[in-house]
PDB file of all heavy atoms in Angstrom:
ATOM      1  N   SER A 381      21.498  10.151  -0.215  1.00  0.00           N
ATOM      2  CA  SER A 381      22.771  10.915  -0.311  1.00  0.00           C
ATOM      3  C   SER A 381      23.560  10.565  -1.592  1.00  0.00           C
ATOM      4  O   SER A 381      24.114  11.428  -2.278  1.00  0.00           O
ATOM      5  CB  SER A 381      23.666  10.650   0.914  1.00  0.00           C
ATOM      6  OG  SER A 381      23.045  11.054   2.112  1.00  0.00           O
ATOM      7  N   THR A 382      23.572   9.236  -1.920  1.00  0.00           N
ATOM      8  CA  THR A 382      24.270   8.783  -3.057  1.00  0.00           C
ATOM      9  C   THR A 382      23.682   9.351  -4.383  1.00  0.00           C
ATOM     10  O   THR A 382      24.409   9.812  -5.305  1.00  0.00           O
ATOM     11  CB  THR A 382      24.295   7.256  -3.114  1.00  0.00           C
ATOM     12  OG1 THR A 382      24.974   6.757  -1.958  1.00  0.00           O
ATOM     13  CG2 THR A 382      25.038   6.771  -4.377  1.00  0.00           C
ATOM     14  N   LEU A 383      22.341   9.304  -4.436  1.00  0.00           N
ATOM     15  CA  LEU A 383      21.657   9.834  -5.628  1.00  0.00           C
ATOM     16  C   LEU A 383      21.834  11.355  -5.808  1.00  0.00           C
ATOM     17  O   LEU A 383      22.070  11.786  -6.928  1.00  0.00           O
ATOM     18  CB  LEU A 383      20.157   9.473  -5.577  1.00  0.00           C
ATOM     19  CG  LEU A 383      19.773   7.934  -5.682  1.00  0.00           C
ATOM     20  CD1 LEU A 383      18.273   7.780  -5.450  1.00  0.00           C
ATOM     21  CD2 LEU A 383      20.204   7.431  -7.042  1.00  0.00           C
ATOM     22  N   ILE A 384      21.830  12.038  -4.779  1.00  0.00           N
ATOM     23  CA  ILE A 384      22.025  13.508  -4.805  1.00  0.00           C
ATOM     24  C   ILE A 384      23.461  13.807  -5.277  1.00  0.00           C
ATOM     25  O   ILE A 384      23.702  14.601  -6.189  1.00  0.00           O
ATOM     26  CB  ILE A 384      21.792  14.126  -3.458  1.00  0.00           C
ATOM     27  CG1 ILE A 384      20.283  14.048  -3.131  1.00  0.00           C
ATOM     28  CG2 ILE A 384      22.185  15.646  -3.426  1.00  0.00           C
ATOM     29  CD1 ILE A 384      19.960  14.412  -1.644  1.00  0.00           C
ATOM     30  N   ARG A 385      24.423  13.062  -4.718  1.00  0.00           N
ATOM     31  CA  ARG A 385      25.838  13.295  -5.044  1.00  0.00           C
ATOM     32  C   ARG A 385      26.062  12.945  -6.511  1.00  0.00           C
ATOM     33  O   ARG A 385      26.723  13.679  -7.287  1.00  0.00           O
ATOM     34  CB  ARG A 385      26.662  12.457  -4.143  1.00  0.00           C
ATOM     35  CG  ARG A 385      28.196  12.718  -4.433  1.00  0.00           C
ATOM     36  CD  ARG A 385      29.058  11.783  -3.586  1.00  0.00           C
ATOM     37  NE  ARG A 385      28.877  10.395  -3.829  1.00  0.00           N
ATOM     38  CZ  ARG A 385      28.399   9.501  -3.015  1.00  0.00           C
ATOM     39  NH1 ARG A 385      27.989   9.897  -1.830  1.00  0.00           N
ATOM     40  NH2 ARG A 385      28.267   8.272  -3.378  1.00  0.00           N
ATOM     41  N   ASP A 386      25.535  11.766  -6.907  1.00  0.00           N
ATOM     42  CA  ASP A 386      25.774  11.317  -8.272  1.00  0.00           C
ATOM     43  C   ASP A 386      25.088  12.180  -9.324  1.00  0.00           C
ATOM     44  O   ASP A 386      25.542  12.342 -10.461  1.00  0.00           O
ATOM     45  CB  ASP A 386      25.312   9.865  -8.520  1.00  0.00           C
ATOM     46  CG  ASP A 386      26.193   8.872  -7.756  1.00  0.00           C
ATOM     47  OD1 ASP A 386      27.280   9.308  -7.296  1.00  0.00           O
ATOM     48  OD2 ASP A 386      25.764   7.725  -7.578  1.00  0.00           O
ATOM     49  N   LYS A 387      23.920  12.798  -8.964  1.00  0.00           N
ATOM     50  CA  LYS A 387      23.284  13.653  -9.881  1.00  0.00           C
ATOM     51  C   LYS A 387      24.077  14.976 -10.065  1.00  0.00           C
ATOM     52  O   LYS A 387      24.264  15.431 -11.206  1.00  0.00           O
ATOM     53  CB  LYS A 387      21.885  14.023  -9.357  1.00  0.00           C
ATOM     54  CG  LYS A 387      21.037  14.827 -10.280  1.00  0.00           C
ATOM     55  CD  LYS A 387      20.675  14.040 -11.563  1.00  0.00           C
ATOM     56  CE  LYS A 387      19.740  14.762 -12.479  1.00  0.00           C
ATOM     57  NZ  LYS A 387      19.468  14.004 -13.657  1.00  0.00           N
ATOM     58  N   LYS A 388      24.540  15.488  -8.989  1.00  0.00           N
ATOM     59  CA  LYS A 388      25.377  16.726  -9.098  1.00  0.00           C
ATOM     60  C   LYS A 388      26.649  16.446  -9.829  1.00  0.00           C
ATOM     61  O   LYS A 388      27.146  17.443 -10.515  1.00  0.00           O
ATOM     62  CB  LYS A 388      25.650  17.253  -7.665  1.00  0.00           C
ATOM     63  CG  LYS A 388      24.481  17.813  -6.962  1.00  0.00           C
ATOM     64  CD  LYS A 388      24.824  18.329  -5.579  1.00  0.00           C
ATOM     65  CE  LYS A 388      23.578  18.905  -4.872  1.00  0.00           C
ATOM     66  NZ  LYS A 388      23.901  19.365  -3.500  1.00  0.00           N
ATOM     67  N   SER A 389      27.248  15.289  -9.703  1.00  0.00           N
ATOM     68  CA  SER A 389      28.528  15.028 -10.411  1.00  0.00           C
ATOM     69  C   SER A 389      28.376  14.653 -11.883  1.00  0.00           C
ATOM     70  O   SER A 389      29.300  14.536 -12.617  1.00  0.00           O
ATOM     71  CB  SER A 389      29.255  13.912  -9.644  1.00  0.00           C
ATOM     72  OG  SER A 389      28.591  12.662  -9.789  1.00  0.00           O
ATOM     73  N   GLY A 390      27.084  14.402 -12.282  1.00  0.00           N
ATOM     74  CA  GLY A 390      26.845  14.018 -13.609  1.00  0.00           C
ATOM     75  C   GLY A 390      26.893  12.563 -13.839  1.00  0.00           C
ATOM     76  O   GLY A 390      26.754  12.102 -15.030  1.00  0.00           O
ATOM     77  N   LYS A 391      27.077  11.791 -12.823  1.00  0.00           N
ATOM     78  CA  LYS A 391      27.127  10.325 -12.912  1.00  0.00           C
ATOM     79  C   LYS A 391      25.808   9.751 -13.362  1.00  0.00           C
ATOM     80  O   LYS A 391      25.774   8.752 -14.034  1.00  0.00           O
ATOM     81  CB  LYS A 391      27.631   9.735 -11.576  1.00  0.00           C
ATOM     82  CG  LYS A 391      28.000   8.235 -11.673  1.00  0.00           C
ATOM     83  CD  LYS A 391      28.564   7.738 -10.374  1.00  0.00           C
ATOM     84  CE  LYS A 391      28.909   6.307 -10.456  1.00  0.00           C
ATOM     85  NZ  LYS A 391      29.457   5.799  -9.180  1.00  0.00           N
ATOM     86  N   ILE A 392      24.722  10.426 -12.914  1.00  0.00           N
ATOM     87  CA  ILE A 392      23.392   9.970 -13.256  1.00  0.00           C
ATOM     88  C   ILE A 392      23.049  10.756 -14.558  1.00  0.00           C
ATOM     89  O   ILE A 392      22.929  11.991 -14.502  1.00  0.00           O
ATOM     90  CB  ILE A 392      22.369  10.254 -12.200  1.00  0.00           C
ATOM     91  CG1 ILE A 392      22.638   9.387 -10.981  1.00  0.00           C
ATOM     92  CG2 ILE A 392      20.932   9.991 -12.705  1.00  0.00           C
ATOM     93  CD1 ILE A 392      21.709   9.640  -9.779  1.00  0.00           C
ATOM     94  N   PRO A 393      22.823  10.170 -15.663  1.00  0.00           N
ATOM     95  CA  PRO A 393      22.474  10.817 -16.940  1.00  0.00           C
ATOM     96  C   PRO A 393      21.112  11.553 -16.823  1.00  0.00           C
ATOM     97  O   PRO A 393      20.242  11.101 -16.147  1.00  0.00           O
ATOM     98  CB  PRO A 393      22.473   9.725 -17.990  1.00  0.00           C
ATOM     99  CG  PRO A 393      22.165   8.492 -17.195  1.00  0.00           C
ATOM    100  CD  PRO A 393      22.798   8.663 -15.858  1.00  0.00           C
ATOM    101  N   HIS A 394      21.024  12.617 -17.594  1.00  0.00           N
ATOM    102  CA  HIS A 394      19.767  13.394 -17.618  1.00  0.00           C
ATOM    103  C   HIS A 394      18.654  12.602 -18.359  1.00  0.00           C
ATOM    104  O   HIS A 394      19.012  11.925 -19.431  1.00  0.00           O
ATOM    105  CB  HIS A 394      19.945  14.726 -18.308  1.00  0.00           C
ATOM    106  CG  HIS A 394      18.649  15.495 -18.390  1.00  0.00           C
ATOM    107  ND1 HIS A 394      18.120  16.146 -17.353  1.00  0.00           N
ATOM    108  CD2 HIS A 394      17.916  15.772 -19.479  1.00  0.00           C
ATOM    109  CE1 HIS A 394      17.038  16.760 -17.737  1.00  0.00           C
ATOM    110  NE2 HIS A 394      16.851  16.550 -19.021  1.00  0.00           N
TER     111      HIS A 394
END
Side-chain angles (χ1 to χ4, degrees):
S381 298
T382 300
L383 291 174
I384 292 169
R385 182 183 66 246
D386 288 351
K387 187 66 176 178
K388 289 180 178 178
S389 68
K391 191 175 181 180
I392 295 177
H394 178 74

